[in-house]
Amino acid sequence: MRLAAALALLALGLLALTLPNLGVAPLERAEIYFLDAAREMVESGDWVVPRYQGEPFFDKPPLAYWLMALSFLGFGPEPGAARLVPALAAVGTVLATAWLGLLLFDRRTALAGAAILTTTLAFLSFARVAMSDMPLALFSTLSVALGVRAYRPRSPAWTVPLLGAVAGLGFATKGPVALLIPGLALLLLLLRHRRRPCGWGGLAAGIAAFAVLGFGWYLLVYARLGAEPLAYFFLKENLERFAGAAYDVGRPVWFYLPAYFAEGLPWSPFLPLALWQLLRSEGPDPEGRPPVRFLAAWVALVLVPLSLSRGKIDYYLLPLYPGVSLVLGRFFTAVP
């Protein structure tokens, strides 16, 4: 079966698992905040200042609210309409994972990694939760894939500008963490290749695209309400979540290890064996890059700040599932 047809079937299968009864499940996690903010945007016509219960609400940037509000306009202000956003973002994440696997490995590994991601417990669960974490996983995975593509021979001129745009959309989805997660992968690529991925013109275009899409909303908020909402978001919702005692504290530094093994089922038990075998046997690819080592180093680097943060939540791992799934996909396709 051709890769495109196989991925189309995989995407349809994911939609078949996520779309039925999408609006029936009770609200969970932080869904109430996203649904109310999106509803307020539709009812008030104010798409700049998010609101929860009528009051300005700056816990998250606006892109997830905007997408859910657009879905409300088309399908009505119901939980199922809001949950269409993570469901479709999950499909995009699967396709972005397959593209990353194709860039790093081959078609078999790309398809296996996408299939593993699609059937991972946590991924399926959060494909039905109306929050910003699945869109973040999409933009993070796509950013890493574009970074890998930018360093390939004969990379199109649009690659780095598009990378800047996608990173900007991630920043407009969840703020600084959207730079941290793919940024560490891009740092590994830069250290490995020891050169810029493109000329100064392409780099300037990428920075400009990121600035417009990533910071445009923040400038609109500043123009209307001044610096206080931005200080709240960057200091309280980001810095204090990392270093303070306000959110989800008391979890040990190793919290994410058992969290992954519980929520990464049915595939998580295979990860230690996959890493042990692949890291021992992997040689460089024709361009001199060891792909499994790259993915393992990226995931490990992201886990350092996540684990050191005082605020730890299981779904913070969601953007790392694509990389882990590709490692597992490589393991299963490499078995004789």
Side-chain angles (χ1 to χ4, degrees):
M1 183 182 298
R2 299 183 63 178
L3 179 62
L7 289 175
L9 288 176
L10 200 59
L12 290 174
L14 177 57
L15 291 175
L17 290 171
T18 55
L19 293 184
N21 301 315
L22 195 59
V24 174
L27 300 182
E28 57 179 307
R29 305 282 184 157
E31 282 190 301
I32 184 62
Y33 301 108
F34 286 88
L35 268 67
D36 197 54
R39 179 188 58 80
E40 288 269 5
M41 285 182 172
V42 173
E43 292 182 356
S44 69
D46 184 358
W47 291 62
V48 174
V49 178
R51 289 178 172 82
Y52 174 64
Q53 295 184 341
E55 297 297 324
F57 183 68
F58 293 101
D59 281 32
K60 296 291 183 291
L63 186 56
Y65 305 143
W66 288 344
L67 294 174
M68 292 176 195
L70 288 173
S71 187
F72 283 169
L73 288 175
F75 301 101
E78 302 294 336
R83 289 168 178 160
L84 277 176
V85 173
L88 295 178
V91 173
T93 305
V94 167
L95 298 179
T97 299
W99 186 37
L100 178 59
L102 195 60
L103 290 169
L104 291 174
F105 300 105
D106 52 40
R107 293 188 177 188
R108 290 182 64 209
T109 302
L111 183 57
I116 287 170
L117 179 64
T118 301
T119 52
T120 295
L121 175 63
F123 187 79
L124 282 172
S125 298
F126 284 102
R128 294 171 57 90
V129 176
M131 292 166 53
S132 57
D133 296 273
M134 190 60 77
L136 173 66
L138 168 59
F139 295 131
S140 296
T141 307
L142 192 54
S143 293
V144 176
L146 285 165
V148 172
R149 184 66 183 92
Y151 278 106
R152 297 291 293 270
R154 298 177 297 280
S155 175
W158 48 259
T159 306
V160 172
L162 182 58
L163 169 58
V166 171
L169 292 174
F171 199 84
T173 299
K174 200 146 184 176
V177 71
L179 280 182
L180 174 71
I181 294 171
L184 290 172
L186 298 177
L187 177 62
L188 288 172
L189 292 170
L190 179 63
L191 292 174
R192 177 168 294 126
H193 292 275
R194 298 183 181 278
R195 62 176 177 84
R196 297 190 312 275
C198 65
W200 289 111
L203 194 60
I207 293 172
F210 172 80
V212 171
L213 294 175
F215 285 103
W217 172 76
Y218 298 92
L219 293 176
L220 292 175
V221 170
Y222 178 78
R224 183 186 294 190
L225 300 176
E228 184 177 352
L230 304 184
Y232 174 87
F233 173 70
F234 286 105
L235 297 180
K236 184 175 178 62
E237 281 299 309
N238 286 271
L239 185 60
E240 191 170 324
R241 190 176 290 271
F242 178 83
Y247 303 100
D248 304 288
V249 298
R251 290 168 174 167
V253 70
W254 58 84
F255 167 77
Y256 288 111
L257 183 62
Y260 168 70
F261 277 94
E263 299 184 8
L265 292 171
W267 307 104
S268 53
F270 296 99
L271 184 61
L273 178 60
L275 288 171
W276 181 76
Q277 179 171 313
L278 292 173
L279 293 177
R280 286 175 62 245
S281 61
E282 183 183 52
D285 72 353
E287 295 179 22
R289 295 185 314 246
V292 171
R293 285 183 173 84
F294 165 69
L295 291 173
W298 169 43
V299 171
L301 283 175
V302 175
L303 281 175
V304 171
L306 290 184
S307 299
L308 292 177
S309 171
R310 298 196 66 185
K312 300 180 181 70
I313 307 179
D314 55 352
Y315 53 76
Y316 288 176
L317 288 177
L318 193 61
L320 299 182
Y321 279 94
V324 172
S325 297
L326 286 173
V327 171
L328 289 165
R330 186 60 171 174
F331 170 68
F332 286 112
T333 58
V335 172

